[in-house]
Amino acid sequence: MTSFTPALRLQDIVKTFPGVRALDGVSLTVLPGEVHALMGENGAGKSTLMRVLGGVLQPNSGRILIGEEPTIMASPLDAKSKGVVFIHQELSLAEELSVAENVYLGELPRKSFGRVDWDRLHEKTAAILDKLKVGFTPQTRVGDLSLANQQMVEIARALTVDAKAVIFDEPTASLTDAEKVVLFDVIADLKARGVGVIYISHRMEEIFHMTDRISILRDGQYRGTLHTAETSEEELTQLMIGRKLDLSRKINHAEVGAVALEVRGLSCGRLYSDVSFEVRRGEVLGFYGLVGAGRTEVAETLFGLRDPDAGQILLDGEEVRIGSPVEAIARGISLVPEDRKGQGLVLGMNCRDNMTLPQVDDLKAGPFVAEGAEIAIFDQYRDKLDIRTPGWRQKVGNLSGGNQQKIVIAKWLSMHPNVLIVDEPTRGIDVGSKSEIHNLIRDLAANGFAVIVISSEMPEVLHVSDRIVAMHHGKVIRTFTSEEVTEESLVQAISGIVAETAA
Amino acid sequence: MNTLNTNDLLKQGAIWGFIVLELVFFTVAGKYLSLSQNAFMDLDNMLLLFKQSAPIGIIALGMTVIMINGNIDLSVGAIFALCAVVLLDSMSWPFLTGLGDWVIPVSWGLALLTGVVLGAINGLIVWKTGVDAFIVTLGAMLGYRGLVFMFNGEQPTSHLNWTLVDFAEAQFLGLHTATWFLLGVAVALWLLMTRTVHGRNAYAIGDNREAAVNAGIRVGPHMMINFMIIGFLAGLSAVVFYSESGSVNPNDGSLYELWAITAVVLGGTKLTGGSGSIISTLGGVLAIQLLRKGLGHIGADTETVNLVIGSILIAVLFLDRQLNRKAKGELRT
Ligand SMILES: Nc1ncnc2c1ncn2[C@@H]1O[C@H](COP(=O)(O)OP(=O)(O)OP(=O)(O)O)[C@@H](O)[C@H]1O
Ligand SMILES: [Mg+2]
């Protein structure tokens, strides 16, 4: 901390939406040169607070002070010009445009007659991309980049202006470990230059690794600020959700039944090759690997979204060809996709209808949709997963990021599929609900379903899986049982190192 | 990267490939089926083709801008007709007759101004009410057409000015006046969409409106400017066409909006916005005109022509989907 004038202060911010008091008198002080974590459950109001600070939303009351000057953030551009840069939780990119245009979106450098100064644009962007050590050029079309690289484009925006404060809202959700290291370097660099960084994340390791202080929100209320060095995970969790959590690793295998799904020598272009595994009823099979290892693509193939070049898929011992998601659902395979916004939700539809979307056909009373049954399903899962919404009529697009994810999960859980595939089920979900979802997954297996969990978080796969498939560059390196797996052997396997002792 | 670039090139080049295919087909088929002795690929015939493409072409180029921006404009046909009425009628307004031939630029200016104002009305409503452009311009289409009929009932509005006709029929470097206007508009809009901040922001808005808003782009004014541009172009199209013909029927220009949209889509512009190219639309316009002319050349009637164009449009959209799917690693949608 280089100085004692705060970089910015928020005072008694109140923000209400119809039916929701999202922020209830929240105050926050960020010093220059500190990394300030903002934590809280899904729907606690973190993103809303940042949207107020970033000029996206206007508060109902309260004050914003930048360097002790009372300020009104009229618009995102206004906030940016006052030195507050906001990296959004959801990607906010125009896919058809180039990387450079996206980085400087809304602020393209100009020449006379409103012409774009392409040379300057590309030069400035190249300098930023250099700093981020990414493997693409300013001219690349954003739609051609991987999710992780798109996230890097978002991050590049933070470096376009001389910022006083930079807000990162869950930036690591879709980054690979290597890219995370780069991001942490970027943040350390910002910090060294005296910029105040606000960092939102649900990942405890990151919080303890990088931040100086932590402020906690709960149900829209400010719950205090702690010095990271003087606190513990337990104390944080207690403040965030008001109770303690049992985070120990427990393996109590359910009764394992017949093989529900078997895959033999499945290959698909350059995406993955010769993938073989089986899942039994009553079992949770974890898929672990780095982002891009081909796990999602395998899942998409099983769900009928991709055509495999070779190999067999056997359901209950019978070879099947799955040509479309409709067929997959009919055969009892469900996929909770990784990209919730793009694939899992209809943002303009209300919570209940999103949740019951795949089964409206079965929920009919005569020619009409059975409203009662739909609401019953909604209520059940809202309680189970603790979904924060004023009611089922709320549009899903208005929920907080983590609560959207819960709706997607509830949608497929309520189908009671034979084989459930969940891809990164707890990305962006707070610690309390995370363990709820883990318990739910274990329960499902215990009830005789076969579950496949794809995850990039080691504690998660270790916690929920009976067996773990480690993938690297589209190949299965090794399958572990939960007894034999260790963190070390798992890390080796996903880096492509085959342990000699494996056989 | 490289493979994707070739894919993009393929998509950009597709419309021109299609035009070549048409030329070859009609040349060959013309030899056997045509009643006339003239070859299809005759120079005069091709020059005429450009000229005939101009009225809808100029509008289609503007429609590309609107559609890249994520909107649509159904009222262009009506604006076209209304501008034509203003153009021809104003030439006989008593207080302008004293100007002699100087009445021409004044009438042109009035017609173009009409287009800009009507476009601005559309844009302002879309901006301020947030109602979908489809609905707003559907209403405008009916409303503006109503104005045309109020003006002169079912009667045509006529005024022939020979200086004007001479100008419209002039050929410069072999190309007709109308063709020059078409090419000029294409170049201007191409520069606008690829070189200027306004153009790039229009792409961004059509691509991801929320991202544009987050980045502080003021969506409304950009959309309004684009509606004014297409209004202006509908006026320009009327100026170019009616300078020569000198008489406008109240139903003129109906269905122009659909032909314009067809040309834009043939040229590969996304219906959802965010992607598209002015030059490819020019290709789309020429392809449609070629098809009409070619089918006429081998003796097909108008109904057949429409049927064929409709089928091709659907086939193109289907092929485009297939191409896109291949590019994205065979992910089915
Ligand atoms: N536009 C809106 N309309 C109505 N309610 C909203 C809107 N935006 C946010 N909310 C509500 O405000 C509350 C706080 O949401 P916010 O997005 O700030 O949560 P969050 O702390 O960022 O959660 P997460 O960790 O899941 O991202 C939620 O209950 C949410 O449903
Ligand atoms: Mg959030």
Side-chain angles (χ1 to χ4, degrees), chain A residues 76-77 88 92-97 101 105-106 108 110 114-116 118 140 144 300 304-307 323, chain B residues 1 4 194-197 200-201 203-204 207-208 210-211 213-217 270 274-275 329-332:
Chain A
L77 219 50
H88 289 264
S92 180
L93 300 169
E95 298 206 337
E96 298 285 345
L97 302 188
E101 285 176 275
L105 196 64
L108 298 173
R110 287 160 192 261
R115 285 177 303 156
V116 179
W118 291 108
T140 315
D144 294 338
E300 282 170 351
L305 284 164
R306 286 174 196 276
D307 278 321
Chain B
M1 257 321 286
L4 280 158
T194 56
R195 300 292 163 85
T196 70
V197 174
R200 301 317 293 173
N201 284 351
Y203 272 98
D207 193 334
N208 185 343
E210 207 182 313
V213 173
N214 279 339
I217 294 176
K270 262 203 202 163
S275 136
E330 299 125 53
L331 193 67
R332 290 202 194 100

Side-chain angles (χ1 to χ4, degrees), chain A residues 161-473:
Chain A
V161 289
D162 202 13
K164 285 200 184 65
V166 180
I167 304 162
F168 291 95
D169 195 350
E170 299 195 41
T172 54
S174 50
L175 293 189
T176 64
D177 288 341
E179 287 156 334
K180 262 181 229 171
V181 172
V182 176
L183 172 68
F184 295 160
D185 283 350
V186 169
I187 292 179
D189 184 44
L190 288 171
K191 182 175 154 162
R193 284 193 285 158
V195 176
V197 176
I198 302 178
Y199 189 84
I200 301 180
S201 173
H202 291 293
R203 297 198 176 168
M204 291 285 187
E205 331 85 81
E206 291 172 6
I207 300 287
F208 280 96
H209 175 66
M210 300 212 325
T211 64
D212 301 307
R213 294 195 300 160
I214 307 169
S215 288
I216 292 145
L217 292 184
R218 189 159 130 213
D219 290 333
Q221 284 172 345
Y222 173 68
R223 281 300 157 117
T225 301
L226 304 169
H227 283 276
T228 313
E230 295 156 14
T231 183
S232 65
E233 232 175 89
E234 226 169 296
E235 188 184 6
L236 266 180
T237 313
Q238 173 82 39
L239 272 173
M240 271 165 63
I241 65 177
R243 65 194 152 92
K244 288 211 168 77
L245 272 184
D246 173 21
L247 293 168
S248 66
R249 186 177 151 198
K250 49 177 174 274
I251 312 158
N252 46 342
H253 295 293
E255 193 94 342
V256 175
V259 175
L261 172 77
E262 190 181 345
V263 170
R264 289 189 199 145
L266 205 63
S267 302
C268 180
R270 283 172 303 153
L271 298 168
Y272 59 84
S273 61
D274 199 18
V275 171
S276 304
F277 62 87
E278 56 175 43
V279 220
R280 293 169 177 275
R281 293 186 187 282
E283 188 183 44
V284 178
L285 180 68
F287 265 76
Y288 186 59
L290 298 174
V291 175
R295 299 162 304 163
T296 298
E297 289 73 14
V298 171
E300 282 170 351
T301 312
L302 294 177
F303 195 55
L305 284 164
R306 286 174 196 276
D307 278 321
D309 305 330
Q312 294 170 297
I313 301 171
L314 291 89
L315 264 181
D316 293 320
E318 198 183 314
E319 182 167 355
V320 291
R321 266 199 45 106
I322 301 163
S324 69
V326 179
E327 272 177 58
I329 293 171
R331 291 182 189 281
I333 301 178
S334 294
L335 171 71
V336 180
E338 152 183 59
D339 168 15
R340 55 175 175 259
K341 213 168 188 175
Q343 296 164 14
L345 287 173
V346 186
L347 289 176
M349 237 165 152
N350 69 43
C351 293
R352 182 202 66 186
D353 290 353
N354 259 294
M355 204 184 277
T356 56
L357 194 60
Q359 47 181 333
V360 271
D361 277 352
D362 303 333
L363 288 178
K364 276 185 194 145
F368 302 107
V369 173
E371 287 251 331
E374 282 194 285
I375 295 174
I377 291 177
F378 173 77
D379 284 345
Q380 184 192 348
Y381 285 94
R382 183 194 54 202
D383 296 347
K384 241 188 195 159
L385 298 178
D386 187 23
I387 299 173
R388 302 284 168 84
T389 161
W392 62 262
R393 286 188 181 82
Q394 182 71 289
K395 268 196 217 153
V396 166
N398 287 341
L399 295 189
S400 79
N403 283 311
Q404 292 184 5
Q405 177 77 341
K406 289 182 191 173
I407 298 267
V408 181
I409 294 184
K411 169 166 132 181
W412 294 111
L413 290 184
S414 67
M415 294 278 294
H416 298 298
N418 289 326
V419 179
L420 176 69
I421 309 170
V422 284
D423 197 352
E424 304 287 359
T426 60
R427 170 183 295 166
I429 285 190
D430 65 58
V431 278
S433 314
K434 214 174 216 171
S435 74
E436 274 314 310
I437 288 176
H438 291 164
N439 290 342
L440 250 157
I441 290 175
R442 295 284 344 159
D443 280 355
L444 278 173
N447 287 332
F449 301 113
V451 186
I452 297 177
V453 175
I454 301 173
S455 176
S456 309
E457 280 185 65
M458 170 112 60
E460 179 161 283
V461 270
L462 288 175
H463 189 68
V464 300
S465 329
D466 294 303
R467 287 187 303 125
I468 299 171
V469 176
M471 282 188 78
H472 171 73
H473 274 316

